[in-house]
Structures are given as C-alpha cells and as structure tokens.
Amino acid sequence: MSKPKLQIIVLFQNLGEQQAYFARSPAPPLSGALVAGLTPPIVEVDLLHEMVRPVDYDTDADFIALSFMDYCAPHAYEVAQEFRKRGKIVVAGGKYPSTFPKEVIPHMDSTVVGEAEKVWPRVVEDMVKGRLKKVYEAPFAPSLENIPPPRYDLVESDFAVPVVTEATRGCKYKCSFCQLTIQSAPFRLRPIEDVIGDLTSTAKLPLRKRKLAMLIDNNLGGDLGYAKDLLREIAKLKLWGLGTQFSFDCLHDDEFVDLLVEARCGMAFIGLESLNEPSLSSVHKKQNKVEEYKELFLKLKERGILTFTGMMLALDEDTPSYYQSLPEELDGIDPSSILTSISIPIPGTPFHTQVEAEGRIFDHDLSHYEGDHLVFRPKKVTPEQVFEAYQRINKHFYSWKSIFKRWWRFITTMKTKGSLVWRVFRPLLLSSILFKLSVFQRDHAQKKVYPVSASELAADELTRQESWSQENRLSEPAE
Ligand code: B12
Ligand code: SF4
C-alpha cells in the first residue's frame, strides 16, 4: 500500500500588489528542509518553496504543512482555506504561528507552536492515524542536540546553494526591532559534529551544490570560542564557498576573521542597519559603531570576503540631511551589497510596542510588514522622504557604474593564499556571487517598494479613526 503524502510549503510572497512575486534568492530558508528531515518515514514527503514556484492546489498530497513568518500570515490563511476546501489537512508552524498562535489556530486543522524538533514526529503520527489535535506546543528553547540532517535532496534545483544549516539559535543582543526579542530564548549551540554532519549529508547533490553552504544563524559569533572551533572543522571540508551571518562587533576578533578565511567563507551578512549613531541608539543596536564600519569592513575585503549588509530606513532619529549624505557615506564604507529595507515594527517587538503606543502605526495590514512598505510615521522624516531616500540610495548603489567600480575595488584589494588553482578560482567565484547578488537586489529595489502618498496617508488615517476596532488588533504574543 502506498504511503500517505505530506507536502511542506514554505510561503513567501510580497502581497503589496496584484500579481504574485517569487524571489530568486540563491539559498532557501532552512525551515522546509529541516521539517522534512524530522518527518518520520510513515509518509512520503514533498517540499515546495514559494520563493521559486507557485503553490500547486492540484497536488496529490493528503497533508499540507505551511511554514510562514508575519507578513505572509494573511496569505497563509487563504492558502489554507483553498487546500481545506479540497479536503486536505492543513498544519501550520513557524515564527508567526509560534508567536501569535491565537491568530493562526482558527484558520488551520492544527497549529504547532514553537520549534519543530521535539514535537513534529508525533504530529505526523497523529495526522496519519486521524487523531490530529488542534494545537501542539513544543517545549520552550529545547536542547539542539541530535537534530537530523535537513533533506537537501528535496530542495528545488532553482536554488544555487541548497545546503543551509544553523549552528546556533538566538542572539545575546536585544535590538528593539528584532523578532528574537519577542520570546527571548537563550542563545543555544548545536554540537559541532551535528553541524558538520549536515554539511556532509549531501551525497545526493551534484558536486557544485555540495561545495557551497550557508550558515543562516542569527549571530554565528554569539559565542566566539565555539564559532572558532566550528570554523576550524569546516575548514577541513575544503568547501568552495561558505556564507554566514554574525553581529558587527565580531570583526574586532582577528582570529575569528582569519578562521572565516580558513573555512573558505566568501560572504558575510552583517546588519549595519544605519550610519546614523542616534538611529542605532534608538533601537538599542549598541554593538555597532559607525566610526569603525570602514576599517572593519576593509578587513573582510582584504581577505576576500564579500560584505552583504542590511540598511534600515525610517528609524526614529533619521533626518533628511542623513538621507542626503547616505549614498556617499555608503561608498566610503564600501559594502559589497546592501539590502535596504524600510523598518518594520514586527508585532510583539519593543519597537512595535513603542510605535503602537505612540499612535504612529497607520497601516495595520500585516501583508505590508515585509520591509518594502512604510507602515508607521517615523519621527523626523516624512513618508515621502523615506521613499525618495530608498529610491535614491538604491539607484546610486546599484547603478551599473557603481557595481563595476565596487567589483574592481574588491578584486584588486583581496588577497588569496593557497594553490594556484584556488587563487584563480576564488576571485572568479566571488565575482560571480557579487554580480548575482547585485542583480537580485537591484531588481528587488526597482520593483518592490511602495510609496505612501499624502492622499493615501490621509485615507489610511481616516480609515484608522473610523473603523479600526479593538478586535481587529493582534492578541498578545504567546508567553
Ligand atoms: C533565510 C532568511 C531570510 C530569507 C528567506 C526568508 C523567507 N521568507 O523564507 C530572506 C533573505 C529572503 C529573508 C528576508 C527577510 N527576512 Co529573514 N531571515 C532568514 C533567516 C536568516 C533564516 C530563516 C531560517 O531558515 N531559520 C531557521 C529555521 C529553522 O527557523 P524557523 O523558521 O523559525 O523554524 C523553526 C520554527 O519556527 C518551526 N517551524 C518553522 N516552520 C515550520 C513549519 C511547520 C509545519 C512546523 C511544525 C514547524 C515549523 O520549527 C523550526 C525549527 O525549530 C532568519 C534568521 C534565523 N536564523 O532564523 C531571518 C528572519 C526570519 N528574517 C527576518 C526578517 C525581518 C526578514 C525581512 C523582513 C528583512 C527585511 N527587512 O527585509 C525579509 C522579509 C522580506 C521578504 N519579502 O521575505 C526576521 C523575522 C521576521 C518575522 N517577521 O518574523 C528573522 C527571524 C531575522 C531576525 N532576527 O529578526 N530572510
Ligand atoms: S544583533 Fe541581529 S540577531 Fe541579534 S538581536 Fe540584534 S538584530 Fe537580532
């Protein structure tokens, strides 16, 4: 008899306009492959990332598992409804269902609250035996030992880097806009051998995919001693390229930076967020020091590590004059690529609590909380100024002239040690990553940012005053 089929869907959509938008990011998020890896073999498993292909309502799957974060929740409810109309059993999990379960539960057959590892095998068993409960609560901040390897073999071939994993969970910092501040789980480490196990459980993939990997930790450098030991082990794998992310202050530690090179790290995502000290203070991002940005980013450039950085607009201390000088200041720091986003008051964060209490949120449509819409009034700049700054910064940063100049600066500054083959191969690989990343970000910046016009703002205000009622608001985040 054939097994029942489970399809895991990781939702991803910008819902700001009529047509769907599927991002072409090089790597998938981890949740789908991870949940697939945790699934007991009593079901056949399939994995769909909406980042690269649309949801298929005609699937022959019996069960659907949806993974989503905040801004996709309204979309998730529609997707669940469509599947349930077709007689499928729909289960939800992920950051948003874990934070606001009361919002999600009515839309699903079952909702998993918290991290999947300890609870998912039981959910699948109950699903197959027809005794699914409405809610499953995972233990808070469980140990991260013995997590089975993610099912990279199920990840769509569109992703250039299917091998993503995480070594740690959580972060020791408390930036007020960050999702991690909501439930404040302790910083946890996975056994190094488990992480290496993930990075080597790739036999079913073609060689070019086995040799690239991403550690998608929130902050790999949360425990630098552990991070260094891990990087020493990763170095032995002789990957072609490793991407990772960590907080800016880790760059003070030369040994850590050198070990990144040993582990063949080619790209580091670091959230600079702002070049305006008062704006950084306003969100408690104390570990970032603007006067150190240039010098510490140069350390990475010299070692041949591309810097990809998050830049937030509409922070409370942003001013028109800061926006005016930002493009040139960014040129001085010279990150390889930027992800500019409009600050999101993620529900449940201290930042959200503050702007909500001050009555500054004018757009409560959760599908707009993706970093491309302005949903609240910043203190010192107008919505028009934010939108204009977004456009100007990206136009300047992602003009072909700037992209080529940046590439040239990178390639002429980086030094590579090792065999001749490696010294030739590495700059070629990094150049290709730099151009791909730039084209992706350029495309996103051109297509996906939504202006708030004065009349829209006024209409939003009116709607808010007239019809925004208490029951429309989100419940408190789960304890
Ligand atoms: C990869 C990634 C991305 C990718 C892909 C995201 C996507 N939409 O799929 C990209 C680069 C596109 C991205 C973009 C953004 N991201 Co992002 N991203 C991440 C990152 C680094 C890894 C996600 C991941 O794979 N985590 C690991 C998995 C295992 O964790 P998890 O998803 O929570 O899964 C666990 C549980 O939630 C649960 N679970 C999850 N799914 C399911 C499903 C089922 C059925 C079950 C049972 C359980 C379950 O079990 C899992 C294991 O315990 C996280 C940071 C992090 N390390 O988590 C940020 C993070 C998710 N991103 C975040 C943000 C803010 C953004 C942006 C809004 C940033 C911006 N301003 O532009 C944009 C969103 C833009 C957009 N249009 O999507 C925030 C949170 C967002 C939120 N609202 O909750 C995070 C947490 C970073 C942070 N510290 O604040 N991101
Ligand atoms: S350093 Fe990054 S992961 Fe840590 S709290 Fe701040 S934004 Fe979140």
Side-chain angles (χ1 to χ4, degrees), residues 10-14 25 27-31 34-35 38 51 65-71 91-96 98 112 114-117 120 166 169 177-180 216-218 245 339 341-342 344 346 369-372 444:
V10 184
L11 295 171
F12 178 99
Q13 269 205 17
N14 276 34
S25 157
L30 174 59
S31 52
L34 180 105
V35 173
L38 297 170
M51 279 175 103
L66 300 178
S67 173
F68 55 95
M69 53 190 201
D70 305 44
Y71 78 94
V91 184
K95 295 229 180 282
Y96 188 72
S98 303
V112 177
E115 298 177 23
E117 285 78 5
W120 182 244
E166 59 189 347
R169 274 191 197 156
F177 58 83
C178 180
Q179 208 270 351
L180 299 190
I216 50 86
D217 301 46
N218 280 286
Q245 31 191 57
L339 167 64
S341 63
I342 297 172
I344 315 165
I346 297 178
Y369 285 50
E370 83 298 52
D372 299 331
H444 183 92

Side-chain angles (χ1 to χ4, degrees), residues 14-17 19 21 311 313-314 338-343 368 370-375 383-395 398 440-453 456:
N14 276 34
L15 301 172
E17 59 185 41
Q19 86 268 32
Y21 173 70
M311 291 296 300
L313 295 181
I338 55 168
L339 167 64
T340 322
S341 63
I342 297 172
S343 309
H368 291 171
E370 83 298 52
D372 299 331
H373 284 82
L374 180 66
V375 298
E384 291 78 8
Q385 284 164 336
V386 173
F387 181 65
E388 197 272 330
Y390 187 106
Q391 287 203 309
R392 203 161 38 78
I393 293 157
N394 283 294
K395 201 171 167 197
Y398 288 118
F440 175 71
Q441 292 302 334
R442 183 188 148 96
D443 177 64
H444 183 92
Q446 281 173 355
K447 288 188 189 150
K448 288 283 137 201
V449 179
Y450 305 95
V452 181
S453 69
E456 270 175 319

Side-chain angles (χ1 to χ4, degrees), residues 171 173-175 177-178 180 218-219 247 273 285 287:
C171 178
Y173 294 115
K174 300 260 174 288
C175 308
F177 58 83
C178 180
L180 299 190
N218 280 286
N219 184 3
S247 55
E273 322 300 7
K285 191 119 196 169
Q287 66 277 24

Side-chain angles (χ1 to χ4, degrees), residues 380-423:
K380 298 185 174 171
V381 282
T382 64
E384 291 78 8
Q385 284 164 336
V386 173
F387 181 65
E388 197 272 330
Y390 187 106
Q391 287 203 309
R392 203 161 38 78
I393 293 157
N394 283 294
K395 201 171 167 197
H396 175 80
F397 194 88
Y398 288 118
S399 71
W400 283 113
K401 192 171 151 201
S402 299
I403 293 173
F404 275 102
K405 274 187 174 173
R406 237 181 346 265
W407 166 74
W408 183 247
R409 283 197 297 270
F410 182 78
I411 226 70
T412 50
T413 310
M414 71 175 277
K415 293 178 188 66
T416 301
K417 290 184 197 149
S419 69
L420 179 64
V421 176
W422 181 239
R423 277 183 284 141

Side-chain angles (χ1 to χ4, degrees), residues 1-165:
M1 214 178 74
S2 67
K3 291 179 190 177
K5 189 167 174 182
L6 164 74
Q7 185 177 54
I8 300 166
I9 304 179
V10 184
L11 295 171
F12 178 99
Q13 269 205 17
N14 276 34
L15 301 172
E17 59 185 41
Q18 294 305 312
Q19 86 268 32
Y21 173 70
F22 305 106
R24 302 280 164 197
S25 157
L30 174 59
S31 52
L34 180 105
V35 173
L38 297 170
T39 304
I42 52 174
V43 287
E44 191 191 328
V45 194
D46 184 24
L47 176 59
L48 183 148
H49 285 97
E50 211 185 11
M51 279 175 103
V52 294
R53 60 185 170 120
V55 171
D56 171 18
Y57 291 107
D58 296 324
T59 172
D60 59 355
D62 308 278
F63 309 112
I64 305 292
L66 300 178
S67 173
F68 55 95
M69 53 190 201
D70 305 44
Y71 78 94
C72 270
H75 175 51
Y77 305 153
E78 285 169 13
V79 171
Q81 194 183 18
E82 285 303 313
F83 276 123
R84 292 175 83 187
K85 261 198 247 164
R86 290 163 172 77
K88 316 278 181 196
I89 304 289
V90 184
V91 184
K95 295 229 180 282
Y96 188 72
S98 303
T99 317
F100 292 102
K102 281 190 208 148
E103 310 292 327
V104 177
I105 290 165
H107 301 275
M108 307 289 161
D109 292 299
S110 181
T111 301
V112 177
V113 181
E115 298 177 23
E117 285 78 5
K118 304 278 183 244
V119 70
W120 182 244
R122 184 154 54 86
V123 179
V124 177
E125 214 182 298
D126 288 356
M127 206 154 65
V128 170
K129 293 196 172 147
R131 56 178 195 210
L132 201 58
K133 291 197 285 180
K134 197 70 185 154
V135 186
Y136 290 83
E137 290 225 21
F140 180 67
S143 133
L144 301 181
E145 284 179 16
N146 299 319
I147 300 176
R151 290 286 305 273
Y152 301 125
D153 57 312
L154 296 180
V155 172
E156 288 93 341
S157 58
D158 307 55
F159 288 108
V161 188
V163 183
V164 291
T165 190

Side-chain angles (χ1 to χ4, degrees), residues 14 18 77 87 116 146 149 156 205 272 277 282 284 291 322 371 387 401 461 474:
N14 276 34
Q18 294 305 312
Y77 305 153
N146 299 319
E156 288 93 341
L205 301 178
L272 295 185
E277 284 286 357
S282 75
H284 309 297
E291 73 273 14
Y322 164 59
F387 181 65
K401 192 171 151 201
E461 282 271 275
L474 290 168

